Amino acid sequence: MFDAKKLLDQFLGSQVPGLGGSVRDRAGDAVQTAKNNPMKTGAIAAVLLGTKTGRGIAGNALAIGGLAAIAGLGYQAYKNYQAGQAPAAPSDAPSANNPVLLPPPVESGFGPASPAGSNEFVLVLIRAMIAAAKADGHIDDAERALIMDKVKAADVSGEAAAFIEHELASPTDIDAIVAAATTEEQRVELYTASRLTIEPDSRAERGYLDLLAGRLGLADQLVDHIEATVSSAKVTLSQ
């Protein structure tokens, strides 16, 4: 089995400038950027797979790791929800020059030291992210082939590439995704990872996220906190 945490880092380390636009428009640019910036090659998978490119996670997401970024955002939203705070307003959003992403406390139930940090559950997080990326139905056979060409060109290969290809080609099994989350923290992380993948600009995407939240049994107020926390962490990548 491949290292799921490494692949998750590749999905979320998307601090690569100049990659706005659609997958079809920008896939070649992404790979060229990877060639020009070898240290950022691992960031390309997220740009290629996301249905809405041109936005990334602020600050040090790649430095702390994809799992820690998801867990940290989920933990912050969950903590604020439990404290009865109001969801963050857009004006509270951090700037790209003032990152606030931190890994969650070890004892929090989120992240690497928890059940949510197992290799098996990280695979579920990636599966959930791919499902979210497919939610608007735009990935046809030709698009999938293009994505896989560019994913492999970005040094994602072997079992990891085969896993991505299988997930892109297979119908979304939301029952299996939901069933894999057995703790409240895991359910929060699943929704957080899915919301990080897309900007729900279409009815299909918004509908998918609403369905996922409902199936996960997340309270409306908790979903509002996750939405606000993720939105505040996203920045527009420079063009």
Side-chain angles (χ1 to χ4, degrees):
M1 176 58 68
F2 61 89
D3 186 344
K5 293 179 184 179
K6 179 180 177 181
L7 183 60
L8 186 59
D9 287 344
Q10 291 173 307
F11 267 62
L12 288 183
S14 54
Q15 297 300 302
V16 182
L19 297 181
S22 70
V23 170
R24 188 180 301 279
D25 292 338
R26 294 296 189 173
D29 292 345
V31 173
Q32 188 58 51
T33 299
K35 292 177 180 177
N36 293 340
N37 301 275
M39 293 300 292
K40 294 183 178 179
T41 300
I44 302 303
V47 178
L48 296 180
L49 290 173
T51 58
K52 297 291 185 295
T53 62
R55 291 182 69 80
I57 306 173
N60 58 336
L62 186 57
I64 67 173
L67 178 58
I70 290 172
L73 291 169
Y75 167 73
Q76 187 63 46
Y78 191 59
K79 183 180 70 171
N80 291 343
Y81 162 71
Q82 288 190 314
Q85 297 181 16
S91 59
D92 298 330
S95 71
N97 296 321
N98 187 29
V100 295
L101 283 180
L102 295 172
V106 173
E107 70 280 2
S108 67
F110 289 84
S114 71
S118 69
N119 199 69
E120 291 76 14
F121 187 71
V122 175
L123 282 177
V124 176
L125 291 178
I126 297 171
R127 189 173 283 121
M129 293 167 70
I130 295 174
K134 296 191 297 182
D136 68 353
H138 92 292
I139 301 179
D140 57 19
D141 290 344
E143 187 79 353
R144 187 168 64 248
L146 174 65
I147 290 171
M148 288 313 303
D149 284 346
K150 303 309 180 183
V151 165
K152 291 172 183 177
D155 289 341
V156 179
S157 60
E159 286 185 85
F163 171 80
I164 293 172
E165 188 166 24
H166 177 267
E167 291 300 318
L168 284 169
S170 301
T172 295
D173 188 349
I174 194 168
D175 291 334
I177 291 172
V178 169
T182 59
T183 69
E184 185 77 352
E185 293 85 2
Q186 287 178 327
R187 290 188 282 272
V188 169
E189 288 194 23
L190 264 181
Y191 188 85
T192 301
S194 301
R195 178 60 180 83
L196 277 170
T197 306
I198 56 175
E199 289 298 308
D201 296 328
S202 71
R203 289 186 178 180
E205 290 167 322
R206 183 69 267 166
Y208 175 79
L209 289 175
D210 289 345
L211 173 63
L212 180 63
R215 294 292 303 278
L216 289 169
L218 300 178
D220 289 346
Q221 296 90 339
L222 176 53
V223 172
D224 289 344
H225 273 283
I226 298 171
E227 291 278 344
T229 302
V230 170
S231 294
S232 72
K234 284 193 170 185
V235 295
T236 301
L237 298 174
S238 58
Q239 299 299 306

